[in-house]
Amino acid sequence: DVKVTQSSRYLVKRTGEKVFLECVQDMDHENMFWYRQDPGLGLRLIYFSYDVKMKEKGDIPEGYSVSREKKERFSLILESASTNQTSMYLCASSRSYLQGLREKLFFGSGTQLSVL
Amino acid sequence: AQTVTQSQPEMSVQEAETVTLSCTYDTSESDYYLFWYKQPPSRQMILVIRQEAYKQQNATENRFSVNFQKAAKSFSLKISDSQLGDAAMYFCAYAPWGTNAGKSTFGDGTTLTVKP
């Protein structure tokens, strides 16, 4: 069965800490995405990657960076966590649209991050 | 910029009954994709149904069907014979043709409660 795994289900960090959120997929997907989910705001795209070492900013990249050193792993980094980054973070992956397949997103179970 | 509006923050339905979740969107594009995603309490989002705008026929997946009104920019989800397992938050999403589904614009979500 297809899997997108996020390393932590719940995480509590202090303001100013550097935070790493990890996401691993086992489907050999080219595309990987990071979103944050806040009540009343739906899902907002932070960053995405369409290949190893390739990344593009989404709609709300400020305060975040990403790393994709291997195809299966996509990390979201909060350089200096702030309280307004308290949120649910969702990772997703999909095949390349260029492969002509009906693209489908596969999601992880989310990481609820609290920054105190 | 595209927007997706789900006007019903919460809905409830009796088990075995039918419920319709509303979604409207705003776009100047003529070709695009529309999606409905389900996020159960486990938090792992899954794709429920997908519609390509060039197709006039409404998509169906078992008990789930859509009413796609392109001129009205409306994309509602009908769940027939509701089951307890349908209780979840449902997100409507839009993606322009030729773009990655991961770059979709999501609505704010509708929380569906199913009463036994």
Side-chain angles (χ1 to χ4, degrees):
Chain A
D1 211 7
V2 158
K3 264 201 167 174
V4 178
T5 303
Q6 294 185 231
S7 54
S8 302
R9 191 163 174 84
Y10 298 96
L11 210 52
V12 180
K13 295 292 181 181
R14 298 223 173 264
T15 303
E17 278 192 78
K18 190 169 186 175
V19 181
F20 292 86
L21 302 183
E22 306 287 344
C23 176
V24 177
Q25 49 95 4
D26 65 359
M27 297 160 283
D28 200 34
H29 283 171
E30 291 77 16
N31 306 313
M32 296 188 75
F33 307 87
W34 274 107
Y35 305 89
R36 63 178 283 175
Q37 181 182 354
D38 299 288
L41 295 177
L43 270 71
R44 293 178 291 167
L45 182 63
I46 305 171
Y47 265 99
F48 66 98
S49 168
Y50 50 91
D51 203 349
V52 175
K53 297 190 187 293
M54 306 301 287
K55 61 185 180 184
E56 284 194 23
K57 294 179 179 178
D59 299 319
I60 51 165
E62 297 78 20
Y64 303 94
S65 62
V66 290
S67 172
R68 193 164 180 202
E69 296 295 320
K70 292 184 178 181
K71 191 175 185 180
E72 67 270 18
R73 185 180 297 270
F74 191 36
S75 303
L76 180 69
I77 304 158
L78 286 66
E79 296 289 342
S80 178
S82 63
T83 54
N84 63 14
Q85 292 179 308
T86 291
S87 186
M88 171 78 74
Y89 291 88
L90 289 172
C91 175
S93 72
S94 72
R95 288 192 180 279
S96 170
Y97 175 81
L98 295 176
Q99 291 186 4
L101 299 172
R102 293 190 80 208
E103 188 193 3
K104 181 177 176 181
L105 278 176
F106 293 87
F107 285 86
S109 296
T111 297
Q112 179 63 54
L113 173 67
S114 296
V115 183
L116 307 178
Chain B
Q2 292 89 9
T3 58
V4 176
T5 302
Q6 294 179 246
S7 58
Q8 308 151 316
E10 296 178 350
M11 291 282 284
S12 68
V13 64
Q14 208 70 33
E15 196 175 3
E17 299 288 303
T18 295
V19 64
T20 298
L21 307 184
S22 301
C23 173
T24 58
Y25 57 94
D26 185 27
T27 183
S28 57
E29 306 285 338
S30 57
D31 291 324
Y32 46 86
Y33 311 97
L34 295 164
F35 309 89
W36 277 100
Y37 290 92
K38 171 185 177 182
Q39 187 180 42
S42 67
R43 305 191 320 210
Q44 188 162 28
M45 282 177 95
I46 57 171
L47 177 67
V48 174
I49 203 162
R50 166 193 178 123
Q51 175 86 40
E52 284 87 358
Y54 70 85
K55 291 185 178 178
Q56 294 187 344
Q57 187 172 8
N58 289 326
T60 62
E61 289 286 344
N62 301 313
R63 297 181 295 107
F64 297 87
S65 62
V66 298
N67 183 3
F68 173 48
Q69 302 286 331
K70 191 172 184 180
K73 297 180 182 176
S74 170
F75 183 60
S76 60
L77 175 69
K78 185 170 87 170
I79 306 174
S80 304
D81 185 26
S82 296
Q83 301 175 359
L84 295 177
D86 295 333
M89 181 168 277
Y90 288 82
F91 290 93
C92 178
Y94 162 98
W97 187 260
T99 62
N100 221 297
K103 297 174 73 175
S104 296
T105 299
F106 289 81
D108 295 346
T110 296
T111 300
L112 177 67
T113 302
V114 181
K115 298 178 180 178

